[in-house]
Amino acid sequence: MRTENKQRTFIYITFLIIGIMITNSCNSTKSKISKTEENLIPVAEKTIDVDISLGKIEKYIDIEKRINSEDVTRDYFVDIGEGIYPFIKNHSFEIPKEFKFIPETSIELSKSYYYTKDGNVKLILYEWNKMDTATVDSRKFKSIFINLEKIITAKIGQYSSKKIESDKLKNDKTYRDDVKWKSSELNAYLFRFGDRNNNYNQIRLAIYKD
């Protein structure tokens, strides 16, 4: 009987220890998630309103007119590197249509639509910048970045690669965060530049296909 009691006691203590370890692990994970969420601030819906699909150029010109974007299209072709758009050499493009929009105070959103002669948009390049002389909360660009990541993941699926330098940076050096998605129909490349002192912030997003 004593041996059985000892075995039962040992089993009970073992399960108790395992339960405590699991609880602590869960609490630690929740704490990290909560900390991340606490560091975010609200972002205007217009700021992260991106088109995770590619259609005809006429569609996007109409959209930009409706939201009163400024047409800043140049009279020459603006080239783009293969690091952002790997299929740039596969197509003959028209001069890209370019627009600027102010979705919320202090934030400027630029959009470039790369399309072929038949009007098919192959690449949309978004760029978020702080307006000149504006003061922006240091959490703003991280909040935009994380919201965009969630939106793209919901549309395309799990990312194929992700590298976040900003969480590891402990000094005033610059960093680059980037996330890539690949699918049979559509690809996305989201990247962000910045520094710990919040002197420089920029986010770029490429939505593209071959």
Side-chain angles (χ1 to χ4, degrees), residues 117-135:
K117 191 174 182 179
D118 57 6
N120 288 321
V121 175
K122 297 289 186 178
L123 162 71
I124 303 177
L125 184 62
Y126 298 87
E127 184 175 303
W128 290 261
N129 288 290
K130 177 176 74 70
M131 293 181 67
D132 293 339
T133 71
T135 301

Side-chain angles (χ1 to χ4, degrees), residues 43-44 46-48 100-110 127-132 134-137 140-141 144 201 203:
V43 175
K46 292 184 291 186
T47 303
I48 52 175
K100 281 188 179 180
F101 178 60
I102 311 301
E104 60 180 287
T105 305
S106 303
I107 301 294
E108 182 178 82
L109 172 56
S110 301
E127 184 175 303
W128 290 261
N129 288 290
K130 177 176 74 70
M131 293 181 67
D132 293 339
T135 301
V136 178
D137 190 305
K140 175 62 77 172
F141 277 79
I144 294 172
N201 276 295
I203 295 173

Side-chain angles (χ1 to χ4, degrees), residues 28-43:
S28 176
T29 302
K30 287 179 181 178
S31 177
K32 289 177 181 178
I33 293 172
S34 297
K35 188 176 180 181
T36 301
E37 295 298 328
E38 285 173 3
N39 289 334
L40 301 183
I41 60 174
V43 175

